[in-house]
Amino acid sequence: MIRLIGYFFGIGTTLALLAAAGVALYIGHVAKDLPDYEVLAKYEPPVTTRIHASDGALMAEYARERRLYLPIQAIPDRVKAAFLSAEDKNFYSHPGVDITGLGRAVITYVSGGPMQGGSTITQQVAKNFLLTNERSLERKVKEAILSFRIEQAYSKDRILELYLNEIFFGFNAYGVAGAALTYFDKSVNELTVAEAAYLASLPKGPANYNPFKHADRAIERRNWVIGQMVENGYVTPEEGAKAKAEPLGVAPRRTGSYLFAGEYFTEEVRRQIIARYGENALYEGGLSIRTTLDPKVQLIARKAMQNGLMKYDTLRGYRGPVKAIDVSGDWGVPLGAVKGLEDVPEWSLAVVLDSSASGLSIGLQPARQASGDIVKERVEGTVSKEDMGFAMRHVVDGKTVKAKSPADVLKPGDVIFVQKNDGSDNAYSLRQVPEVEGGLIAMDPHTGRVLAMVGGFSYSQSEFNRATQAMRQPGSSFKPIVYSAALDNGYTPASVIMDGPITIQSGNTTWTPKNYDGTVAGPATLRSGIEKSRNLMTVRLANDMGMKLVVEYAERFGVYDHLAPYLPMALGSGETTVMRMVSAYSIMANGGKSIKPSLIDRIQDRYGKTVFKQDERGCEGCNAPEWKNQPEPELVDNSEQVLDPMTAYQITSMMEGVVQRGTGATIGELGRHIAGKTGTTNDEKDAWFIGFTPNLVVGLYMGYDTPRGLGHGATGGGLAAPIFKDFMRVALDGTPNVDFKVPDGMNLIAINRKTGMRASSGDPGTIIEAFKPGTGPADSYWVIGMGADGSNASGGALSPQANQAIQDGGGGLY
């Protein structure tokens, strides 16, 4: 019997050794193909890139996976406790694998059941980082082996850090910091016990515990986690009971742009980042981008531009509803499906429920919950006849028709835009998205920092940026470039030019430019020519000094890369952008120094290292270790001087005259030291105004995207200047009224406004003019262009492009 027992024992031992050898061989085989766990040391997950305004306000976030990486030291203990309680309460004591749980999973699998979980946090790190989601025994073994190795190579805190920054929480949120923002719009430090417990319940299955679709299930799972936290001693029973009594309180963070007035600016920054670093850097690199945008200035610019576009548009009548829907049943659902203007929050979509002689009864577009579901409650209101007065002139088949009653304009089912009246609960005014568009830029002339950008009425309606992308004729707003070239090359503000008829001959084609009002004024000074925006004087001036010089200055100022040297171009008939024009005027405003327009101040990588800084000025002594009565350090401006500072002052002084008594006189009502120039293109297709104080340059245009006339008499002074005025009134409020600085060495001499000659004391019609050293008023009366026939100075035939320019335009009519 003993021999038999020994026999079976020997067989058993042999089988056990064979099994152990088999297991060892299997593990060895599996271990050979394991991925390198050392990659965890170089872990750089996709991280959210964030764009901030100049004051630090968050403007936008871009990410394929919404994640903000946090070191373990920055994660609060209650948050760590929630995840340990939910996922792996023995995390700090086991060797990487829960032997009991693993054994249970293996037995179930061998018995024919499904492959179960039971993974520790270390195993989840191994799976998420190094393995696939395949549910098999081999993957489970690989996971266990890797877990042992990871535990030997890394500290528990490092493993937990990797886990908490990698896991998926739903709604494209990755990592606990991203989840806190996505679900509660909070940092992890602000999370309550209940909120931390809910987030800890999500990794098991975010879709199963969706706070909107499965709220009861989500609360049940959260409360179980809270119970585990109490059982493990992380919170007291009283704290646990209080946390369980709280609602989920999910308040999702909005995505995309956060500064509703800055969408065009943000998109421009996005394009620049992609062009500079590529898409992966933007959507995965975790960049921190500090921009130049000033939120207060941006809001002022947006309001001024929108009001100006609306004022012009409403005078042209009402073009009809957005669309029509059926209101015989539940109108909330079809109305909720109509796309509104997210970046014009003052407006709401509404549907006409009834129309009569006194006005409209309307239903407002229902609000949406965070889940996207439409709120059931319906809100109704009214629009009186007076609050839709502009619509009494409505456009039918391209013709304006006068209506007697609101019922003649709108009928039940028509979807419209409305805006709530101030101080009213349910009274609204009718609104219409303007057909006319425009672009505006506000810039610091000393640095080129773009403080505000308006690319159109609404980014939701049109993403085309008219401030940077629209190529438009600048019209007479280009004339200061021509006059700057003249003043830099021997002419003075008192030089006299003939304002009279001129004909330019080009082969068999002739061009006879005219002043906007069709009149001529005879001899007049350069100052008068720019104040009154006289085309004939500008053409004669350009002809006298040569278009090659005008081209040189236009390109030096950055208005154009390549400008054709044809006389019509002197009147602004070449196309450019608002950004380029504002940059050119900044040169005149800052004393003649070249500037590079910038939207980004600095960029930092995910580790906080500055990888780009716009300000390249040097500063010797700024980093001195201590103060030893040395002089205060100064920034060294290395900008190129592209215009004589005295010339810059002269053209600025002349443009002050535009505001004080010229085509931009409406702006003079502000009582500020402002210089500027109006611009109107052929057939009144575009209206411009660009102006500046010593520290702020603002430029804008108004026009249709498909150019067509704005209407007879629609000039830069009548349309664009009032928008500029409205902007400056608010933007400059509370700031000192700084005068333009006269460069040292300039001579201020009283001259006769008409003749440009020195004036005697007490003479009427005098003006103080600035002259460079060695120059002054003419000793004798001399008129540039007197008797000139305006013929082509070169004597040869111009190219077809020149002929086309001559035929197409006088450009810059006013």
Side-chain angles (χ1 to χ4, degrees):
M1 185 67 181
I2 294 175
R3 183 180 297 176
L4 184 62
I5 293 173
Y7 174 74
F8 282 116
F9 178 77
I11 293 175
T13 302
T14 302
L15 291 175
L17 290 171
L18 289 172
V23 170
L25 286 172
Y26 175 73
I27 292 176
H29 170 71
V30 170
K32 281 196 306 183
D33 299 325
L34 285 177
D36 184 4
Y37 61 88
E38 292 183 0
V39 298
L40 297 179
K42 302 174 183 177
Y43 174 58
E44 286 190 350
V47 180
T48 301
T49 287
R50 312 179 88 186
I51 298 178
H52 299 267
S54 61
D55 66 351
L58 182 64
M59 294 174 61
E61 294 177 325
Y62 294 101
R64 294 192 177 102
E65 299 178 0
R66 298 187 69 197
R67 177 191 283 108
L68 297 175
Y69 194 91
L70 286 182
I72 194 66
Q73 296 86 352
I75 301 175
D77 288 342
R78 64 177 170 277
V79 175
K80 289 185 279 189
F83 282 87
L84 293 174
S85 298
E87 295 292 325
D88 189 358
K89 67 179 182 180
N90 298 319
F91 171 72
Y92 278 96
S93 59
H94 64 59
V97 175
D98 183 346
I99 302 299
T100 304
L102 179 62
R104 184 171 59 250
V106 171
I107 292 171
T108 301
Y109 181 74
V110 171
S111 302
M115 193 68 240
Q116 295 182 345
S119 297
T120 64
I121 284 177
T122 310
Q123 286 175 277
Q124 292 184 57
V125 168
K127 180 186 73 173
N128 292 339
F129 285 85
L130 305 171
L131 300 171
T132 67
N133 287 321
E134 175 193 3
R135 299 177 70 85
S136 68
L137 178 61
E138 181 174 321
R139 198 270 292 164
K140 204 71 178 173
V141 173
K142 287 181 178 180
E143 185 182 287
I145 297 170
L146 282 171
S147 296
F148 283 122
R149 294 181 178 180
I150 289 170
E151 288 273 351
Q152 292 171 354
Y154 302 102
S155 69
K156 288 285 187 179
D157 279 351
R158 174 60 176 166
I159 296 168
L160 185 59
E161 178 182 301
L162 292 171
Y163 172 76
L164 291 175
N165 281 288
E166 176 65 18
I167 46 179
F168 176 60
F169 287 87
F171 294 114
N172 200 36
Y174 291 79
V176 66
L181 288 171
T182 299
Y183 283 88
F184 298 108
D185 199 13
K186 292 181 176 181
S187 71
V188 290
N189 293 316
E190 298 173 298
L191 293 174
T192 65
V193 170
E195 291 165 346
Y198 175 63
L199 293 184
S201 71
L202 289 171
K204 283 294 183 194
N208 296 333
Y209 306 110
N210 185 296
F212 307 112
K213 296 180 179 179
H214 308 296
D216 292 341
R217 193 186 301 169
I219 291 175
E220 181 182 352
R221 172 70 178 171
R222 180 204 66 178
N223 289 349
W224 177 85
V225 174
I226 294 171
Q228 292 297 110
M229 293 176 72
V230 172
E231 184 177 319
N232 295 329
Y234 292 120
V235 297
T236 66
E238 293 76 18
E239 290 172 330
K242 181 181 177 182
K244 288 181 179 181
E246 294 179 13
L248 280 178
V250 171
R253 183 183 183 85
R254 63 174 294 186
T255 58
S257 177
Y258 295 87
L259 186 67
F260 73 83
E263 291 82 0
Y264 286 105
F265 190 103
T266 303
E267 174 59 17
E268 194 70 22
V269 171
R270 187 190 74 87
R271 284 197 292 263
Q272 288 191 14
I273 295 298
I274 290 176
R276 186 186 297 268
Y277 301 111
E279 284 198 11
N280 286 343
L282 176 68
Y283 292 102
E284 299 180 0
L287 302 176
S288 174
I289 302 163
R290 179 64 65 96
T291 70
T292 61
L293 183 134
D294 184 321
K296 293 180 180 178
V297 177
Q298 178 66 32
L299 287 169
I300 297 167
R302 169 188 172 272
K303 184 176 182 179
M305 194 72 193
Q306 287 188 341
N307 287 346
L309 296 175
M310 288 167 55
K311 181 178 179 181
Y312 172 87
D313 187 72
T314 54
L315 293 174
R316 271 75 193 160
Y318 186 60
R319 293 183 300 279
V322 176
K323 66 178 300 182
I325 62 174
D326 182 10
V327 291
S328 60
D330 182 1
W331 48 265
V333 174
L335 181 58
V338 181
K339 186 178 183 297
L341 301 179
E342 295 179 357
D343 58 338
V344 189
E346 305 90 346
W347 289 15
S348 303
L349 277 169
V351 61
V352 177
L353 302 177
D354 185 41
S355 57
S356 65
S358 61
L360 310 173
S361 294
I362 58 172
L364 277 296
Q365 187 178 55
R368 288 183 179 272
Q369 296 175 325
S371 63
D373 297 331
I374 295 174
V375 176
K376 299 300 182 183
E377 292 79 8
R378 302 289 179 257
V379 178
E380 298 184 6
T382 61
V383 178
S384 68
K385 182 178 180 180
E386 292 72 25
D387 288 331
M388 57 178 290
F390 80 94
M392 293 299 100
R393 295 175 67 252
H394 64 119
V395 181
V396 179
D397 297 328
K399 296 181 179 180
T400 303
V401 178
K402 289 187 177 181
K404 296 181 179 179
S405 165
D408 298 333
V409 181
L410 292 165
K411 62 183 183 301
D414 285 341
V415 177
I416 58 177
F417 280 107
V418 296
Q419 182 175 353
K420 180 177 280 191
N421 296 343
D422 292 338
S424 175
D425 291 332
N426 66 345
Y428 293 80
S429 294
L430 181 66
R431 292 288 180 257
Q432 173 175 254
V433 177
E435 199 172 24
V436 70
E437 282 286 2
L440 180 151
I441 292 286
M443 182 181 291
D444 180 336
H446 304 288
T447 62
R449 298 175 72 248
V450 177
L451 306 177
M453 175 188 292
V454 181
F457 181 80
S458 165
Y459 184 80
S460 295
Q461 179 204 19
S462 169
E463 296 181 8
F464 181 64
N465 191 333
R466 295 156 189 86
T468 61
Q469 295 176 302
M471 299 297 294
R472 313 292 292 210
Q473 293 181 337
S476 289
S477 63
F478 178 72
K479 287 176 181 174
I481 312 299
V482 179
Y483 282 71
S484 292
L487 293 169
D488 226 21
N489 288 275
Y491 298 79
T492 76
S495 297
V496 178
I497 302 178
M498 173 58 69
D499 182 12
I502 184 173
T503 298
I504 305 298
Q505 186 73 36
S506 170
N508 297 324
T509 304
T510 59
W511 175 49
T512 305
K514 291 180 172 60
N515 289 324
Y516 180 79
D517 58 6
T519 66
V520 295
T525 62
L526 259 66
R527 172 180 286 278
S528 178
I530 204 166
E531 287 181 357
K532 303 301 181 184
S533 198
R534 308 300 283 181
N535 289 343
L536 297 174
M537 294 175 66
T538 305
V539 171
R540 271 199 171 84
L541 178 63
N543 196 45
D544 186 63
M545 64 180 169
M547 275 302 295
K548 286 187 177 180
L549 192 61
V550 174
V551 169
E552 178 191 335
Y553 275 76
E555 294 176 1
R556 185 190 296 183
F557 276 58
V559 178
Y560 304 103
D561 291 329
H562 303 287
L563 178 66
Y566 313 136
L567 275 174
M569 298 300 180
L571 298 180
S573 60
E575 294 180 337
T576 187
T577 66
V578 177
M579 179 74 87
R580 282 178 174 254
M581 288 299 294
V582 171
S583 299
Y585 273 60
S586 292
I587 292 173
M588 294 178 269
N590 70 22
K593 287 187 176 293
S594 173
I595 62 101
K596 184 188 300 182
S598 62
L599 278 66
I600 300 171
D601 275 339
R602 63 115 179 95
I603 302 172
Q604 292 175 308
D605 64 16
R606 66 171 71 208
Y607 303 109
K609 178 184 177 182
T610 298
V611 295
F612 169 80
K613 186 172 69 170
Q614 176 64 29
D615 193 343
E616 298 176 347
R617 291 176 296 176
C619 183
E620 295 182 9
C622 281
N623 296 319
E626 58 181 316
W627 184 63
K628 296 181 178 179
N629 296 314
Q630 67 265 41
E632 182 177 328
E634 294 184 3
L635 291 172
V636 180
D637 190 351
N638 298 318
S639 301
E640 181 185 1
Q641 192 78 40
V642 296
L643 186 68
D644 187 312
M646 294 186 178
T647 300
Y649 177 77
Q650 286 177 319
I651 192 65
T652 296
S653 175
M654 291 162 67
M655 285 194 286
E656 277 192 280
V658 173
V659 170
Q660 293 166 359
R661 54 189 163 269
T663 55
T666 181
I667 295 165
E669 297 170 8
L670 295 176
R672 289 273 185 168
H673 293 291
I674 296 175
K677 184 70 186 74
T678 55
T680 310
T681 60
N682 283 341
D683 302 321
E684 290 105 347
K685 291 178 180 176
D686 289 330
W688 288 72
F689 190 86
I690 310 172
F692 55 90
T693 67
N695 297 307
L696 180 64
V697 183
V698 180
L700 67 111
Y701 89 91
M702 178 192 294
Y704 291 101
D705 284 346
T706 302
R708 69 174 193 261
L710 293 167
H712 182 66
T715 64
L719 294 180
I723 297 175
F724 175 93
K725 178 182 177 181
D726 288 346
F727 171 86
M728 284 297 199
R729 177 186 292 113
V730 182
L732 298 178
D733 185 41
T735 63
N737 187 13
V738 180
D739 199 354
F740 295 99
K741 183 180 179 180
V742 182
D744 294 337
M746 294 204 80
N747 300 314
L748 302 180
I749 301 174
I751 65 165
N752 183 283
R753 187 190 302 274
K754 181 68 176 176
T755 67
M757 299 180 70
R758 189 183 297 269
S760 300
S761 179
D763 283 356
T766 62
I767 187 171
I768 302 296
E769 202 63 84
F771 292 91
K772 298 175 184 177
T775 69
D779 294 328
S780 60
Y781 191 57
W782 179 64
V783 181
I784 300 169
M786 181 73 80
D789 62 2
S791 60
N792 177 21
S794 67
L798 294 183
S799 68
Q801 291 88 347
N803 283 323
Q804 187 64 40
I806 287 174
Q807 291 168 6
D808 284 351
L813 288 176
Y814 200 47

